[in-house]
Amino acid sequence: MRSTNIVGGDFINNCIVIKLDNYDTEISVINRKMGKINIIDNFEIEIGIKHLISLEAKKEFIKIIISKLNDYKHLKEIFFSVQNEDVIIREYPEIQRVKKRDLDGYVNFEIVKDMPVNIEHYLIKYKVLNLQKNIMDIQLILFPKYIEKICTEIAQNLNIKRKYLNMNFDIIQKLIDKKKIDLGHENCMIIENKRNYIILNSVKQRKIYTSTVFEKYGNEDYILSFLEKDIHIFYYGKEDSFIKNIKENEFCVDKLNLNLKINSLNKEDTVDNIINQNLINIGVVV
């Protein structure tokens, strides 16, 4: 996402990366040098966005983060990655082409006005995914301001002014564009499989058109109904019963193939597993 405080980060040396989920938070301290990424430290906090229902809960959460990062307060950049079911992503295929100078007005007055939500509660972003002579495909993203506020408060309490906010699917798209992900298919499905949730990213012509978040438990059969057996499926994250279930149902599924150079201070873990479990945090700084 890009706004006054949601921008890219192409010139990173040492930084903090925080991945906020509904029920837990993953924190990495990362160094990037000469094209190689070094994971200096990793933490996991079993508190997430859904737990922050009161001011006191939010204060305690921020206090824990500050305590975990006490040795890294000197760092000047912090990156957040967030995507839950409150992030609204819609595809508008084959609509009439609009001139570039008129796109902002078209999106805000012709598309956004029909959304069944209070637009004042969201940051609005859009992408033109496909542009032809008379038609175009647009992707609309509504990002909740309450999540942006949480990220801003964390950065302020760490006294870090340079903050960047990303969505998980945007990070995956960046890795595809930079050829750090080897798909081998123009059209496919990429699954982020975590402990409590799943994100289905539908890829067309190497562009993520839709990205849908599901609570995992109790919804596995429903999620399977979204998968197609004639589309190749790639996954990263947990190796669990859900992935096993997909394979047993004869879907064409493989672990995501990644081209990344990673070092970690955790010598007990393999590089492949480090990348698989921390792909979003790593992808932020690629």
Side-chain angles (χ1 to χ4, degrees):
M1 295 186 67
R2 293 181 183 269
S3 72
T4 55
N5 62 346
I6 303 176
V7 295
D10 296 326
F11 305 104
I12 306 160
N13 193 6
N14 291 345
C15 65
I16 297 165
V17 182
I18 297 180
K19 183 173 182 286
L20 285 167
D21 294 331
N22 278 346
Y23 300 106
D24 53 39
T25 300
E26 298 170 11
I27 304 173
S28 301
V29 181
I30 293 177
N31 167 272
R32 189 185 74 173
K33 188 175 183 180
M34 302 297 291
K36 183 171 283 189
I37 293 167
N38 300 285
I39 301 176
I40 299 169
D41 220 335
N42 255 343
F43 313 101
E44 185 167 349
I45 301 170
E46 293 187 355
I47 301 173
I49 295 169
K50 295 298 184 183
H51 297 118
L52 307 181
I53 57 177
S54 68
L55 182 60
E56 287 304 313
K58 190 185 295 184
K59 286 181 178 178
E60 182 61 25
F61 175 61
I62 293 173
K63 183 179 178 181
I64 292 170
I65 290 177
I66 292 171
S67 174
K68 292 284 187 182
L69 292 171
N70 186 59
D71 292 337
Y72 305 105
K73 287 183 177 180
H74 61 284
L75 298 184
K76 303 300 183 184
E77 291 184 302
I78 186 166
F79 293 75
F80 297 93
S81 59
V82 189
Q83 189 172 340
N84 68 4
E85 68 279 3
D86 293 337
V87 178
I88 300 172
I89 302 169
R90 295 286 184 271
E91 174 194 0
Y92 293 85
E94 298 184 355
I95 62 176
Q96 183 177 352
R97 181 169 175 171
V98 177
K99 292 180 180 179
K100 187 176 181 179
R101 66 173 182 267
D102 298 327
L103 261 176
D104 285 354
Y106 179 80
V107 169
N108 283 288
F109 297 106
E110 296 297 328
I111 294 180
V112 171
K113 68 180 180 63
D114 293 326
M115 297 291 290
V117 295
N118 186 343
I119 299 303
E120 296 300 316
H121 295 162
Y122 295 87
L123 302 171
I124 300 169
K125 179 196 174 184
Y126 65 87
K127 292 181 182 179
V128 177
L129 297 174
N130 183 32
L131 193 61
Q132 299 183 33
K133 184 177 181 180
N134 297 312
I135 60 173
M136 60 184 180
D137 298 340
I138 282 184
Q139 181 185 72
L140 178 70
I141 301 116
L142 302 183
F143 192 88
K145 289 181 179 178
Y146 84 87
I147 297 179
E148 184 200 32
K149 185 178 179 183
I150 292 170
C151 296
T152 297
E153 289 176 359
I154 292 171
Q156 287 174 343
N157 278 272
L158 287 168
N159 198 29
I160 298 176
K161 294 181 179 180
R162 296 171 67 183
K163 56 188 182 297
Y164 310 92
L165 179 55
N166 307 266
M167 288 177 293
N168 298 20
F169 88 96
D170 259 342
I171 296 168
I172 297 300
Q173 184 63 64
K174 180 176 74 169
L175 293 173
I176 294 172
D177 293 341
K178 291 193 172 187
K179 296 182 170 52
K180 299 299 183 182
I181 291 177
D182 181 17
L183 294 177
H185 299 267
E186 292 290 302
N187 305 321
C188 61
M189 179 76 74
I190 300 176
I191 296 177
E192 178 177 338
N193 185 41
K194 302 299 283 185
R195 182 171 58 195
N196 296 307
Y197 70 88
I198 289 166
I199 300 179
L200 301 184
N201 296 293
S202 177
V203 179
K204 301 176 186 178
Q205 301 298 310
R206 299 181 65 83
K207 297 290 184 184
I208 297 176
Y209 269 65
T210 62
S211 185
T212 309
V213 182
F214 297 93
E215 290 281 339
K216 182 184 288 186
Y217 297 108
N219 292 319
E220 293 194 9
D221 289 341
Y222 178 66
I223 296 168
L224 282 175
S225 71
F226 283 83
L227 305 180
E228 300 177 26
K229 292 193 174 179
D230 59 346
I231 293 290
H232 208 101
I233 299 168
F234 298 95
Y235 71 92
Y236 63 95
K238 295 284 186 183
E239 294 270 1
D240 60 8
S241 61
F242 178 76
I243 297 300
K244 183 180 178 181
N245 195 10
I246 295 176
K247 293 177 178 178
E248 289 177 348
N249 277 274
E250 299 181 348
F251 288 97
C252 187
V253 57
D254 288 298
K255 183 182 286 188
L256 201 59
N257 189 20
L258 300 154
N259 178 28
L260 295 166
K261 296 179 181 179
I262 305 294
N263 284 335
S264 174
L265 296 183
N266 183 2
K267 302 303 181 182
E268 298 178 359
D269 212 346
T270 66
V271 171
D272 179 68
N273 190 53
I274 290 165
I275 295 173
N276 186 51
Q277 297 299 325
N278 299 280
L279 179 60
I280 296 300
N281 282 15
I282 293 167
V284 165
V285 302
V286 170

